[in-house]
Amino acid sequence: MQNVFDFFNAGGPMMYPLALLAFIILIMFSERLLYLHKGQIRAVEFVAGIKESLKKRRLLEAITICDESYGPVPCVVKEALINSEASPDVLSQAVNTAAVNQFALLSRRISSLAMLAKVAPLLGLMGTVLGFLSIFSAMGESGSFVSVAELSTGIYNALISSAFGLFVAVVGWLAYSFLNSKLKALAQDIDWASNEIMLFIVRKMPEREDLYIEGGDKK
């Protein structure tokens, strides 16, 4: 453990902002991951259940199912159910607005991860520059030549912050990419569910319409 602290301190003062940046990335990633995970449901099965209630003309029951379910898909479907008596244009506008609002909630703070990942290597580079300035300042004050061992030690310490900054950047980009892939999957569920339920309502909720899947694709 002492070696870890020694290595950290050898990197210079910019190691502390980088450590804080890494902690913020970890907290943001954990919070968004839990939020997106909670929002995931089986969209096909959920919409199928809603359609079964609507086929029996049990609109209130379908709305109750949406209220008891968590996630963006139930919220968008509920908006379609509430506006089921409206014209197709009004229905489409209401559902699209709900979908945009849900997507905004889902994507909140995810882009910030990308921004933090871009800042990390810059902080590391700044730490390296400060380290080199310290080396040359010490050489100028001493007024004498320094040994290769002393110079290499100083350069090694200066480069630690750059290495740590690159490490934080890589971790940040991986976290951003992972969350972005989950966000796209949820966005596809929202888009599919909203189109499916709107089409079903516009068709006057036919009792013989089936929801099926071929080859794993939603239809």
Side-chain angles (χ1 to χ4, degrees):
M1 183 63 69
Q2 186 65 32
N3 291 334
V4 175
F5 284 117
D6 291 340
F7 179 81
F8 186 86
N9 290 327
M14 296 308 297
M15 294 291 285
Y16 295 97
L18 283 170
L20 178 61
L21 199 66
F23 179 73
I24 294 173
I25 288 175
L26 177 62
I27 295 299
M28 292 177 62
F29 173 74
S30 301
E31 186 273 333
R32 284 291 92 185
L33 181 62
L34 291 175
Y35 187 85
L36 294 178
H37 180 72
K38 286 180 63 178
Q40 287 183 319
I41 64 171
R42 298 181 181 272
V44 174
E45 296 178 4
F46 177 78
V47 174
I50 295 295
K51 293 175 74 172
E52 286 300 320
S53 297
L54 294 179
K55 288 175 182 179
K56 300 173 184 177
R57 298 303 185 264
R58 297 176 180 174
L59 179 61
L60 184 58
E61 177 183 292
I63 294 176
T64 302
I65 294 174
C66 293
D67 287 333
E68 294 176 350
S69 303
Y70 183 84
V73 172
C75 292
V76 174
V77 171
K78 179 183 177 181
E79 194 66 27
L81 298 177
I82 293 174
N83 293 275
S84 59
E85 300 294 331
S87 65
D89 290 339
V90 174
L91 172 63
S92 177
Q93 183 178 1
V95 172
N96 289 336
T97 301
V100 170
N101 291 336
Q102 289 300 314
F103 184 79
L105 291 174
L106 292 171
S107 60
R108 186 172 54 183
R109 287 191 290 273
I110 291 182
S111 60
S112 298
L113 282 174
M115 184 270 293
L116 294 177
K118 291 178 181 179
V119 170
L122 297 178
L123 289 177
L125 180 61
M126 183 182 296
T128 297
V129 172
L130 292 176
F132 277 114
L133 289 176
S134 177
I135 293 172
F136 290 115
S137 176
M139 291 173 60
E141 291 178 359
S142 65
S144 60
F145 293 101
V146 296
S147 65
V148 175
E150 292 175 338
L151 183 60
S152 61
T153 300
I155 294 175
Y156 170 78
N157 292 340
L159 290 175
I160 289 176
S161 62
S162 283
F164 188 55
L166 290 173
F167 173 77
V168 174
V170 170
V171 172
W173 274 111
L174 289 175
Y176 168 76
S177 299
F178 181 77
L179 292 179
N180 201 40
S181 65
K182 295 184 75 68
L183 177 63
K184 288 181 179 179
L186 277 170
Q188 290 175 355
D189 283 345
I190 294 172
D191 184 62
W192 174 83
S194 59
N195 289 331
E196 186 70 22
I197 200 67
M198 281 194 297
L199 184 60
F200 184 72
I201 291 174
V202 170
R203 290 177 176 175
K204 307 301 181 184
M205 308 176 194
E207 295 184 3
R208 293 189 176 183
E209 183 180 58
D210 295 324
L211 186 69
Y212 61 93
I213 306 175
E214 290 183 357
D217 293 330
K218 300 167 185 173
K219 295 189 178 182

